[in-house]
Amino acid sequence: MHLTTPTSTIQILPEVIANQIAAGEVVQRPESVVKELVENSIDAGATEITVVVKNAGKSLIHIIDNGKGMNKEDLSLACRRHATSKISTIDDLYRISTLGFRGEALASICSVAQVEIRTCRESDSHGWKLTVDGTSEQKIEPFPCERGTQIFIRNIFFNIPARKKFLRSDLSEFRYISETMMKFALARPDIRFVFYDGDSKIFDVKAESMQERVLSILGSDVEKALIPIEFENTILSIKGFVGEPRLARQSRGLRQLFYLNGRHIISKTLNYAVFSVFEHLIEKNSYPLFVLFISLDPEKVDVNVHPQKHEVKFDDERSIFSAINLAVSQALAKVHLIPTIQLQEQTAQLPFVAQRPDNQFLVNKLTGEIIEPTTNHTEQFQQYTDSFASERSITNATITPRANHFLTPTSSAFDSLFQGNTTQLNATQQQPNDGFEASKKSYFQLHQKYIVVENPEGMMIVDQHAAHERILYEKALQMMNREFSQSQRLLFPEEKTVSASEASYIKELQSELEALGFEFTFLSDTTIEVTGVPADIPSGEEHSALLEIIDTYSEYEKIAPSARRENLAASFGCKTALKTGKVLSIPEMTQLVDDLFKTSMPYVCQHGRPIILDFPLKELDKRFGRT
Ligand code: ADP
Ligand code: MG
């Protein structure tokens, strides 16, 4: 037996090893270093931040800021673990307004790279220089420099070969860094960011407005298709932009950005809050473009749930979800969109294109994205003819919603479409109408499901159920505002047994249900006598309507608990609207389409699905080879 072994097998790790372990979480690749250091520069109040990387940051990351700098004492502490100037009590953790707070970034970075920090405060006559690499003691000496801080990170992972081996190609690592730089630039339009890859300048964006910054970073070709968002309720405010559906692309990359109190965050749930509005307006497997800035009381969110602070935990995620969902639907509803059936088109390419030396394909230097070689026209033609041969022409087509410019908010859109003055038509609609006359507009019901209507540009197809649902939705909202009411008395009052939860919904919504035209009295806690129902309830469904509407309401309420009236109106529309399979006469179709165009948003239903599709003649002409 070897009694010489230490009595305890557990030992406290030396600080440098502890830091290297922490670095495993904080510093995964050169991009993590860039992120942490730029966050520090922002927290130091810098208005100009320059980042230079060499070999995708593997050999050098150099960050220069004009922030407040550090004195000798702070500098000597900055690289120690748990050294932070940003929080001092546990309560501070719950009201964080800086990007950093964990006090481990510099310590982690210093344990895995060669680091030099030069820093000077405004009030000091000279600055200081700190050097440290991995295991060595840090050295601090006086150094002449301007106000602010410069940090050089050389040879990342020089002392941890296993980590170095896991780094990806320069192209991939550079892409991570440039995406992070763009995310910072979008987050803080008030700061000038300069970004170099070796000697070549990738971007230099001066302080500007939020909209200007979005265009500087995403490219000015998106300008006309950005829909601004400004939304505020009691718990949060949302600002930013969503792209029109036609900007949706198959990559998510830099196209889906959420910022929470200035910090870029990743959240599947919030992404879905936007996506669900677009879902039926864009192609399958594509994603809408958005840049949204959420401001929220810092106490209502925990930012300390992820080592790199990418994810956060909201106290009340559901309300945030519904607020975003509502903000985006309202913004989309303002720009009237009719999806147009079009042939497949080449999508616009991203900026900053650089050619590969082998001339094989193009690489977007900024995003690292590989762009297809020049289109092969023979192949394209083949696809085109194939789609005819297999009679998949319509399902193959892309649905590209476009802004509708021929509406004025005050007049009925449908009137202006047919009798309206042509001065409202935009350039694309001013082509000759080929003798189209308003009186000749014809209606045709397709499979008891869709209404086909001829219009000056070609034709449109209206979903009869969705159209009626939209009409009834708005009508219900008006009735709940007591603008009018329509009820029908039941010949034979109906006694119904209700569950406790149904009863509580009915009581909670009593005045709204009465406004819609329901008349009822509670005979006991679980029985109710219905004596009248809304005039729109189709005959034969009078007796089941109330409970079915309540049932649908309870589903909607789970998604958007605060939108009580909207939920009830939507449930009413959904249960009462004409069903697929209902045969419609010409006057009924005319009335329905007319009423639809009198609503505030004829093109998209509350769930974001299209109500109308547009088939322009010119697209048909293209398909028939007449152009
Ligand atoms: P944290 O940001 O979580 O506080 P860091 O390890 O990133 O932890 O930084 C430690 C401290 O060093 C910061 O709290 C700050 O006081 C100081 N510091 C780091 N970078 C800068 C900078 N660019 N300018 C001024 N002070 C800095
Ligand atoms: Mg930090």
Side-chain angles (χ1 to χ4, degrees), residues 443-467:
Y443 292 79
F444 172 75
Q445 194 185 20
L446 196 67
H447 293 269
Q448 287 108 53
K449 201 172 180 183
Y450 299 112
I451 304 170
V452 181
V453 192
E454 190 180 10
N455 70 8
E457 288 190 285
M459 64 172 174
M460 56 184 184
I461 301 184
V462 179
D463 178 329
Q464 69 186 43
H465 173 77

Side-chain angles (χ1 to χ4, degrees), residues 387-418:
S387 69
F388 276 109
S390 61
E391 291 182 353
R392 285 180 295 122
S393 45
I394 288 176
T395 44
N396 266 356
T398 53
I399 295 178
T400 317
R402 64 176 161 77
N404 179 323
H405 299 284
F406 46 77
L407 292 184
T408 53
T410 45
S411 69
S412 145
F414 194 63
D415 288 347
S416 45
L417 199 57
F418 289 108

Side-chain angles (χ1 to χ4, degrees), residues 135-352:
T135 50
S136 75
E137 276 297 305
Q138 59 186 37
K139 206 169 79 195
I140 299 188
E141 56 200 311
F143 192 83
C145 54
E146 286 178 25
R147 175 201 147 125
T149 304
Q150 285 199 40
I151 304 192
F152 299 79
I153 309 294
R154 296 192 176 89
N155 303 323
I156 184 169
F157 300 139
F158 77 102
N159 52 354
I160 313 187
R163 299 289 304 279
K164 199 168 175 174
K165 221 172 59 198
F166 275 105
L167 292 182
R168 300 178 61 185
S169 68
D170 281 10
L171 190 65
S172 305
E173 294 295 341
F174 182 76
R175 198 189 66 203
Y176 289 123
I177 297 176
S178 65
E179 282 198 10
T180 293
M181 285 306 294
M182 288 162 97
K183 284 175 191 161
F184 277 123
L186 285 167
R188 294 299 298 266
D190 54 327
I191 297 178
R192 175 180 178 187
F193 286 93
V194 188
F195 176 38
Y196 278 93
D197 172 18
D199 295 333
S200 51
K201 193 196 285 171
I202 304 299
F203 63 69
D204 176 356
V205 283
K206 316 251 168 354
E208 54 196 343
S209 72
M210 186 203 290
Q211 170 151 15
E212 285 164 338
R213 183 58 63 87
V214 168
L215 297 179
S216 306
I217 297 296
L218 298 184
S220 51
D221 50 331
V222 301
E223 181 168 11
K224 293 209 173 60
L226 286 183
I227 306 167
I229 296 214
E230 283 232 38
F231 179 93
E232 204 172 336
N233 68 14
T234 47
I235 50 169
L236 52 63
S237 81
I238 307 169
K239 281 202 173 114
F241 299 90
V242 288
E244 281 183 11
R246 65 189 159 100
L247 290 184
R249 295 283 181 274
Q250 278 173 354
S251 69
R252 287 182 211 237
L254 262 179
R255 310 181 58 86
Q256 307 218 291
L257 299 174
F258 272 116
Y259 292 89
L260 174 79
N261 297 340
R263 181 194 305 280
H264 172 257
I265 56 160
I266 298 173
S267 160
K268 276 197 181 137
T269 318
L270 300 193
N271 272 2
Y272 190 70
V274 182
F275 180 77
S276 61
V277 180
F278 278 86
E279 191 173 3
H280 299 278
L281 290 172
I282 60 183
E283 262 187 277
K284 236 184 158 173
N285 299 325
S286 68
Y287 304 96
L289 176 134
F290 60 82
V291 185
L292 294 174
F293 303 89
I294 305 166
S295 308
L296 180 71
D297 179 351
E299 294 194 19
K300 299 232 177 328
V301 55
D302 187 353
V303 289
N304 189 27
V305 293
H306 189 271
Q308 291 149 25
K309 300 165 285 181
H310 285 313
E311 285 165 27
V312 298
K313 192 167 172 298
F314 296 102
D315 278 2
D316 183 1
E317 191 169 49
R318 194 184 267 190
S319 321
I320 314 246
F321 181 98
S322 12
I324 292 175
N325 198 260
L326 185 63
V328 175
S329 331
Q330 285 177 350
L332 265 190
K334 278 190 208 136
V335 293
H336 298 162
L337 303 160
I338 305 186
T340 304
I341 302 293
Q342 282 181 348
L343 298 170
Q344 296 274 2
E345 269 176 16
Q346 280 297 103
T347 51
Q349 294 177 345
L350 290 159
F352 305 105

Side-chain angles (χ1 to χ4, degrees), residues 477-494:
L477 285 179
Q478 286 171 350
M479 291 199 283
M480 283 187 256
N481 282 337
R482 309 270 168 187
E483 288 170 35
F484 67 95
S485 100
Q486 286 174 338
S487 180
Q488 48 176 323
R489 283 197 76 86
L490 295 183
L491 222 45
F492 304 103
E494 169 100 351

